Amino acid sequence: MIALADAAATEAFGRALAERVRPGDVVALSGPLGAGKTSIARGLLAALGLEGEAPSPSYAIVQPYAPPEVAFPVLHVDLYRIDDPDEAEELGLDDGRADLLLLVEWPERLPDSVWADALVLTLTIETDGSRALTARVPAAWKDRWPL
């Protein structure tokens, strides 16, 4: 478990994570509303070179980023509004997956089997307002985890 004291610590974790991610990775961010999923994504995207604040993809569902905006292609996906797993097929999440980072919020909207190779980060909100982060680390991350 990793303790994240506040929003700044949560974004800093995202920046540290950016030093370890590479094309072909899937990072799934799980947790309740307001837990810090988008803060981690914003820190990661900023460390990959994104200038300005990354918008939450809640309404667009998929927000792509490409060089020179970021160091390598990233698909930032928010599955919150997906009600049926069949809807996700239309998003093209597997297209070119080997060449980009797939950063997914609300992965629990799809079957767990979809995320077998993903670094799954789960955030919880603690009683003092801090965040606790736990990780399910796949084999591909064994040499890169913990941060």
Side-chain angles (χ1 to χ4, degrees):
M1 196 269 303
I2 298 170
L4 302 169
D6 53 26
T10 305
E11 282 198 33
F13 177 84
R15 287 191 299 277
L17 183 61
E19 295 175 15
R20 306 285 175 96
V21 296
R22 55 187 175 219
D25 284 341
V26 177
V27 176
L29 302 168
S30 185
L33 285 170
K37 298 178 296 294
T38 301
S39 293
I40 288 175
R42 286 179 176 147
L44 187 151
L45 288 163
L48 291 178
L50 184 66
E51 294 182 14
E53 189 171 306
S56 172
S58 293
Y59 296 103
I61 301 179
V62 177
Q63 180 65 49
Y65 297 95
E69 187 177 35
V70 289
F72 53 82
V74 177
L75 277 186
H76 184 192
V77 181
D78 186 325
L79 298 174
Y80 184 74
R81 295 183 15 209
I82 298 293
D83 293 321
D84 183 333
D86 291 337
E87 293 177 57
E89 287 185 33
E90 297 174 24
L91 300 177
L93 300 182
D94 288 329
D95 299 345
R97 188 163 148 178
D99 300 321
L100 55 82
L101 167 65
L102 183 58
L103 183 59
V104 181
E105 297 185 40
W106 297 97
E108 57 274 12
R109 298 289 193 186
L110 298 180
D112 200 45
S113 61
V114 173
W115 314 116
D117 64 339
L119 174 64
V120 179
L121 304 176
T122 302
L123 291 151
T124 56
I125 303 171
E126 302 298 296
T127 55
D128 65 358
S130 67
R131 304 304 190 253
L133 184 142
T134 56
R136 186 180 79 202
V137 183
W141 275 84
K142 293 298 184 193
D143 64 336
R144 297 182 275 162
W145 191 267
L147 301 185

